[in-house]
């Protein structure tokens, strides 16, 4: 049976080191294998079949993809490029499960971050430059960029680095923690399933 194509983003958990060997495009931390690049998850049998302990190799490969264009209602993955108190400028890197050949520009306005208490939202408490976020295209916007929203629970930050440069993990819907320094930073976290 052919393997199902699964597109993964950097920092996505792929499997346990007890079951797989890490391959190209992956890294291992605390016995768990994670994706280090945006691409397709692949599994192949070990090269040498010497003993019964050989494990399959888990890797992530970049492949040339069809051209993706954001449309209203599309779910997109974006990298936050710059921010001001009213909006965050993002580069759209993936539409649905298709990586973009070129980055499209998008804007997440402060009123489109949360569905409730919109007047209390602060941009600096939601995103930081370099964060990877999942969002929905709500409008084709203006000439420069698409308008995006993170109002749904499954939308928001999915990958972030702390001030110390470590990959953070979500601890609540509005906070992420650096597992090494234990510092907590504010983010609008996406619900993970």
């Amino acid at each position: 049976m052919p393997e199902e194509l699964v597109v993964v983003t950097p920092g996505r958990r792929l499997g346990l080191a007890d079951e797989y060997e890490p391959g190209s495009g992956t890294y291992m931390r605390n016995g768990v294998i994670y994706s280090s690049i945006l691409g397709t998850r692949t599994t192949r049998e070990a090269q040498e079949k010497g003993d019964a302990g050989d494990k399959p190799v888990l890797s992530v490969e970049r492949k040339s993809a069809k051209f993706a264009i954001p449309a209203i209602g599309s779910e997109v993955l974006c990298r936050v490029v710059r921010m001001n108190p009213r909006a965050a400028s993002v580069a759209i890197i993936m539409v649905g499960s298709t990586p973009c050949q070129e980055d499209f520009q998008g804007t997440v306005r402060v009123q489109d971050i949360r569905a409730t208490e919109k007047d209390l939202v602060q941009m600096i408490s939601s995103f930081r430059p370099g964060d990877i976020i999942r969002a929905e295209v709500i409008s084709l916007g203006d000439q420069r960029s698409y308008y995006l929203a993170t109002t749904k629970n499954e939308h928001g930050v999915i990958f972030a680095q702390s001030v110390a440069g470590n990959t953070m993990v979500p601890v609540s819907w509005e906070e992420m923690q650096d597992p090494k320094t234990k510092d907590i930073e504010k983010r609008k976290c996406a619900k993970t399933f």
Side-chain angles (χ1 to χ4, degrees):
M1 184 167 89
E3 183 178 354
E4 178 184 348
L5 289 179
V6 177
V7 177
V8 295
T9 56
R12 170 109 181 248
R13 183 181 173 152
L14 301 175
L16 298 174
D18 295 343
E19 301 170 9
Y20 299 99
E21 287 292 330
S24 63
T26 66
Y27 66 95
M28 185 172 58
R29 179 178 292 150
N30 298 328
V32 179
I33 300 171
Y34 296 92
S35 170
S36 62
I37 61 173
L38 176 68
T40 306
R41 177 184 189 249
T42 60
T43 307
R44 63 177 167 74
E45 293 302 317
Q47 294 292 336
E48 299 187 17
K49 303 266 186 188
D51 58 20
D54 290 336
K55 298 182 270 188
V57 177
L58 199 55
S59 60
V60 178
E61 298 175 357
R62 289 184 176 153
K63 295 189 179 184
S64 57
K66 60 185 178 189
F67 192 62
I69 298 176
I72 295 175
S74 298
E75 189 171 272
V76 295
L77 289 183
C78 317
R79 183 179 53 258
V80 178
V81 179
R82 62 188 166 277
M83 296 172 35
N84 65 45
R86 293 176 291 146
S89 295
V90 300
I92 299 172
I93 56 177
M94 195 165 160
V95 178
S97 61
T98 307
C100 297
Q101 289 180 343
E102 297 178 7
D103 291 350
F104 292 96
Q105 278 193 304
T107 301
V108 181
R109 300 172 298 181
V110 72
Q111 67 264 27
D112 297 326
I113 293 175
R114 289 195 345 217
T116 60
E117 300 178 339
K118 293 181 180 193
D119 55 333
L120 300 178
V121 176
Q122 292 183 341
M123 188 60 68
I124 196 68
S125 297
S126 302
F127 311 123
R128 301 277 169 87
D131 288 356
I132 304 293
I133 64 170
R134 183 183 300 128
E136 180 180 9
V137 178
I138 57 170
S139 169
L140 298 180
D142 53 25
Q143 297 175 5
R144 295 181 304 266
S145 62
Y146 292 89
Y147 287 152
L148 311 174
T150 59
T151 53
K152 295 180 180 174
N153 289 341
E154 60 269 15
H155 296 156
V157 176
I158 60 171
F159 176 82
Q161 288 186 318
S162 67
V163 175
N166 302 315
T167 301
M168 295 195 300
V169 294
V171 292
S172 74
W173 65 273
E174 62 180 353
E175 293 179 331
M176 294 185 98
Q177 183 177 32
D178 182 330
K180 292 185 180 177
T181 65
K182 304 299 183 202
D183 291 339
I184 292 180
E185 296 180 19
K186 294 279 191 185
R187 296 290 200 282
K188 195 286 186 186
C189 299
K191 181 180 178 182
T192 56
F193 301 98

